[in-house]
Amino acid sequence: MADEQSVENLVSETVKHFGGLDIIFNNAGVGVQTPTHELTAEEYKRVISVNQDGVFYGIKYALREMLKTGGGSIINTSSILGTVGEPTSIPYAASKGAVNLITKSVALEYADRNIRVNAVAPGFIESGLVNKEAMGEYYDGLVAKHPIGRLGEPKEIAHAVIFLAENDFVTGTTLLVDGGYTAK
Ligand SMILES: NC(=O)c1ccc[n+]([C@@H]2O[C@H](COP(=O)([O-])OP(=O)(O)OC[C@H]3O[C@@H](n4cnc5c(N)ncnc54)[C@H](O)[C@@H]3O)[C@@H](O)[C@H]2O)c1
């Protein structure tokens, strides 16, 4: 996703295989947890290049196909950290804040051509490295930040993505699926 040519190829291979592109889900993302005064420019740029530039490339090449076929649905993955701050994660927060406004701006630009653009913004979700075994006490602290009293499950994000893909009257929104994390 950080390489424009690869994303162009991904879209063209998809179209070749399936005959068109109705929905794209720009979900790839990476994080970093480094105190800002120790953060290198390389670390910073790496996160921005995947989470922010990658979303731009995915949108750009999906739009070209959707304009040919008369419409489509674009869904980007944001995060609660596009809405509220988090220590030691500035490139991540910057990239997710950018995803929210890229989503709104492209939604406005293409709404009259039947292309909808939305984002899903998860709270902390049980996955890969986010679990009690890997995180110990830090995990309990994370749970405490979600008023609903637990972390999310991957299927709860998938459900939101399907909703955004299917609902023809939703565009330009960032749907928070966060157990109340950002309601405080
Ligand atoms: N897990 C959470 O708690 C959480 C919370 C909020 C937002 N998110 C967001 O959800 C999305 C998915 O994250 P996840 O939790 O499933 O993480 P994950 O690490 O399990 O999955 C991320 C995926 O992105 C892929 N990826 C990384 N760099 C890539 C690149 N340059 N090109 C193509 N693919 C690349 C990885 O191979 C991996 O499959 C991310 O955008 C992340 O920021 C996750």
Side-chain angles (χ1 to χ4, degrees), residues 4-69:
E4 182 168 5
Q5 186 63 55
S6 300
V7 179
E8 183 176 5
N9 294 346
L10 173 72
V11 171
S12 68
E13 287 300 314
T14 302
V15 171
K16 213 185 285 172
H17 187 79
F18 291 103
L21 182 69
D22 303 304
I23 299 163
I24 189 166
F25 179 30
N26 295 310
N27 183 49
V30 292
V32 65
Q33 278 203 310
T34 308
T36 304
H37 66 283
E38 291 170 2
L39 187 68
T40 64
E42 285 69 31
E43 272 181 293
Y44 182 90
K45 286 178 189 163
R46 169 84 189 135
V47 175
I48 298 289
S49 70
V50 178
N51 298 9
Q52 180 175 330
D53 300 353
V55 164
F56 160 56
Y57 302 144
I59 289 173
K60 175 176 170 180
Y61 291 100
L63 283 171
R64 290 184 178 192
E65 295 304 325
M66 291 171 179
L67 286 169
K68 286 184 209 160
T69 54

Side-chain angles (χ1 to χ4, degrees), residues 89-107:
S89 289
I90 63 155
Y92 187 84
S95 68
K96 297 301 187 179
V99 167
N100 293 351
L101 280 172
I102 289 171
T103 297
K104 285 187 188 190
S105 302
V106 184

